[in-house]
Amino acid sequence: MREMFRVSIGGAHAGFVITVFIVVLFAAIGGTVWALVVGGAVAFWFAVALIAVVGGGRRGWVGVKRAYLLTFGWASWL
């Protein structure tokens, strides 16, 4: 089960790029308000992931990397 949910940093980078593309697309089509809503939701999810990771005992760049993987690592499964 653990192997099935494993994510890589390359997949997280791809997820970040896809997310930025979607936010830019929302800005182009729906205006800046929708881009702020979508970007704010992603930033909120990253903040929640960072709080959870720090609460789990990870500190510094290791914690930021883990939160990054939790936020954008979904692209490893595409």
Side-chain angles (χ1 to χ4, degrees):
M1 186 64 100
R2 185 176 187 168
E3 192 64 33
M4 186 173 76
F5 288 114
R6 187 173 301 264
V7 295
S8 67
I9 194 72
H13 290 328
F16 178 74
V17 169
I18 292 168
T19 303
V20 168
F21 176 74
I22 289 171
V23 170
V24 168
L25 189 65
F26 268 92
I29 294 172
T32 56
V33 172
W34 282 107
L36 289 173
V37 168
V38 174
V42 173
F44 177 76
W45 178 256
F46 180 78
V48 168
L50 187 60
I51 290 168
V53 167
V54 169
R58 306 220 187 231
R59 301 276 190 250
W61 285 112
V62 174
V64 172
K65 180 181 175 185
R66 181 63 59 170
Y68 182 76
L69 288 171
L70 286 170
T71 305
F72 300 109
W74 52 267
S76 293
W77 302 327
L78 297 179

